[in-house]
Amino acid sequence: MTIIAQLGTSFFAASGFAVIFNAPRNRLIPCGVVGMLGWVLYFILVQKGIDSVPATVFAAMLIAVLSQVFAKYYKTPIIIFNVAGSFHLFPAVWRIMRCATLLKMIMQLPCNMLQR
């Protein structure tokens, strides 16, 4: 049952990340598939006892290959699939997104509040 939950959540996470980065609407499902397959490979390898670093490398290689195949098939830049598919493999992504959100909030403050 956990593998089914992993499939669903990783698909929606990758598709959601593609939405955040303004991927074309008709490419959201392929982005989700790339992210889902990469995450499932990572999850299975970690469950089999492989360390997380080699599991991440193998999952990233699968994502790179799938991104290339989907980019050729859909005639879309590879970065669309690559970024959306690999974002949840790397733990620093969440920190970067939090910093970007904080920076956006600071930039929206009125100028007189920043001078205090």
Side-chain angles (χ1 to χ4, degrees), residues 26-99:
N26 56 354
R27 303 297 183 253
L28 295 180
I29 291 176
C31 287
V33 170
V34 170
M36 176 184 66
L37 293 176
W39 178 257
V40 167
L41 177 64
Y42 171 82
F43 182 75
I44 290 171
L45 291 176
V46 169
Q47 291 296 318
K48 296 289 183 185
I50 295 177
D51 191 42
S52 63
V53 174
T56 302
V57 170
F58 289 129
M61 289 188 333
L62 176 66
I63 289 170
V65 169
L66 289 174
S67 296
Q68 182 68 33
V69 169
F70 278 34
K72 294 276 187 190
Y73 182 77
Y74 289 107
K75 295 180 177 74
T76 305
I78 191 171
I79 195 78
I80 298 288
F81 304 108
N82 206 358
V83 170
S86 63
F87 88 98
H88 52 278
L89 287 178
F90 308 107
V93 167
W94 297 110
R95 291 187 206 124
I96 292 169
M97 288 180 62
R98 285 186 193 132
C99 290

Side-chain angles (χ1 to χ4, degrees), residues 14-29:
S15 296
F17 199 72
V19 168
I20 290 172
F21 280 100
N22 294 327
R25 279 188 171 189
N26 56 354
R27 303 297 183 253
L28 295 180
I29 291 176

Side-chain angles (χ1 to χ4, degrees), residues 1-13:
M1 187 64 185
T2 60
I3 194 72
I4 294 171
Q6 293 291 326
L7 284 168
T9 54
S10 61
F11 175 82
F12 286 115

